[in-house]
C-alpha cells in the first residue's frame, strides 16, 4: 500500500501525493489523482526516498520540502519542485532551518509564497516557519509558533494560511490555530479546533477548510 505523508499539493487538474511509507520502505514514486476522471496514475519519480515531508505550490508547480530517511538516520532540508506541464522534477532551494533537517511538519501557500511550519528536528521539535517565495526560489525562516511543535496540519486560501493542532515537544497535543495573513505578512490567533489533534490531514476551498 502507499500512504501519503503530508506530501499533497495540486495543479488545478489533479492532486499529487508524493513520498510516504510503501509498506516496507519509503517510496519516491508519487501518485496522481485526476479530478475530472477520478483516475489514479503514477507520476514522475521524485529525487529522494523519504517520509515526513510537506508540500505546497501553485497551478504551475508543487514544492515538496524536508523529510527524513526510513530509519530516521538522515534528515533533509532540501526541496524538490514538480512542474505540472511535462511532469519534470528538479531541485528547489533548501529550507533555511539551522538544524540538519526537518520532518513531520506542514505547509500551505498562495500563488506567491509557501509556508513550511513547525516539525520534528533531530532531538526535539521546532517553532520555525520557513517562507518559500516562488519568484526567485528564495527561502527564509524565523521562530514564530507559540511552542516547539510537530505533527501539525495546514490549510488555507489565497488570503490566509492556517496551521492547526500538533504535538508539543514538551507537552500535550494542542488545538491551537495560528493564522498567517499573506497581504500583511502578519500572524494572528485563529479559532481553536473543537478538540486536540495531531498527525491529521486538511483540505479546503476558498471559503472553508
Amino acid at each position: 500500500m502507499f500512504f501519503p505523508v503530508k506530501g499533497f499539493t495540486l495543479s488545478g487538474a489533479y492532486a499529487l501525493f508524493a513520498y510516504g511509507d510503501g509498506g516496507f520502505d519509503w517510496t519516491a514514486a508519487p501518485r496522481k489523482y485526476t479530478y475530472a476522471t477520478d483516475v489514479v496514475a503514477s507520476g514522475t519519480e521524485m529525487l529522494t526516498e523519504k517520509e515526513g515531508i510537506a508540500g505546497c505550490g501553485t497551478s504551475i508547480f508543487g514544492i515538496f520540502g524536508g523529510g527524513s530517511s526510513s530509519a530516521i538516520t538522515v534528515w533533509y532540508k532540501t526541496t524538490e519542485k514538480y512542474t505540472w506541464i511535462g511532469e519534470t522534477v528538479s531541485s528547489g532551494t533548501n529550507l533555511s532551518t539551522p538544524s540538519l533537517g526537518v520532518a513531520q511538519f506542514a505547509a500551505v501557500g498562495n500563488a506567491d509564497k509557501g509556508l513550511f511550519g513547525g516539525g520534528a528536528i533531530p532531538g526535539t521539535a521546532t517553532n520555525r516557519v520557513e517562507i518559500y517565495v516562488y519568484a526567485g526560489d528564495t527561502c527564509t525562516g524565523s521562530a514564530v509558533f507559540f511552542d516547539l511543535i510537530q505533527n501539525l496540519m495546514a490549510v488555507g486560501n489565497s488570503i490566509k494560511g492556517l496551521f492547526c493542532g500538533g504535538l508539543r515537544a514538551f507537552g500535550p497535543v494542542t488545538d491551537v490555530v495560528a493564522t498567517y495573513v499573506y497581504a500583511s505578512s502578519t500572524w494572528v490567533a485563529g479559532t481553536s479546533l473543537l478538540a486536540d489533534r495531531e498527525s491529521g490531514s486538511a483540505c479546503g476551498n476558498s471559503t472553508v477548510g
Side-chain angles (χ1 to χ4, degrees), residues 65-68 73-78 94-105 116 118-130 141-142 148-149:
S68 63
T73 55
V74 179
W75 295 77
Y76 296 95
K77 61 174 68 178
T78 55
N94 285 0
L95 301 176
S96 65
T97 173
S99 69
L100 296 175
V102 59
Q104 308 300 344
F105 58 148
F116 294 82
I121 60 175
T124 183
T126 181
N127 60 354
R128 285 177 64 87
V129 172
E130 309 283 336
S142 61
L148 306 177
I149 194 162

Side-chain angles (χ1 to χ4, degrees), residues 29-140:
R31 298 293 183 266
K32 182 172 66 175
Y33 192 109
T34 302
Y35 297 128
T37 58
D38 290 312
V39 170
V40 178
S42 296
T44 301
E45 190 95 347
M46 307 302 288
L47 301 179
T48 310
E49 293 182 355
K50 50 188 175 179
E51 66 91 32
I53 60 102
C56 58
T58 70
S59 60
I60 300 172
F61 54 77
I63 301 289
F64 298 91
S68 63
S69 65
S70 58
I72 318 182
T73 55
V74 179
W75 295 77
Y76 296 95
K77 61 174 68 178
T78 55
T79 67
E80 298 179 24
K81 179 185 292 187
Y82 195 108
T83 303
W84 309 128
I85 295 177
E87 297 195 62
T88 59
V89 181
S90 59
S91 296
T93 300
N94 285 0
L95 301 176
S96 65
T97 173
S99 69
L100 296 175
V102 59
Q104 308 300 344
F105 58 148
V108 66
N110 65 0
D112 301 315
K113 67 183 77 172
L115 278 66
F116 294 82
I121 60 175
T124 183
T126 181
N127 60 354
R128 285 177 64 87
V129 172
E130 309 283 336
I131 299 179
Y132 194 112
V133 179
Y134 302 133
D137 286 297
T138 60
C139 187
T140 58

Side-chain angles (χ1 to χ4, degrees), residues 140-186:
T140 58
S142 61
V144 171
F145 286 146
F146 59 92
D147 203 350
L148 306 177
I149 194 162
Q150 65 186 71
N151 298 353
L152 64 170
M153 301 154 282
V155 68
N157 58 19
S158 61
I159 300 172
K160 56 188 172 184
L162 283 66
F163 289 89
C164 314
L167 174 64
R168 299 173 190 250
F170 304 104
V173 176
T174 181
D175 63 354
V176 170
V177 174
T179 301
Y180 183 91
V181 181
Y182 296 118
S184 58
S185 298
T186 56

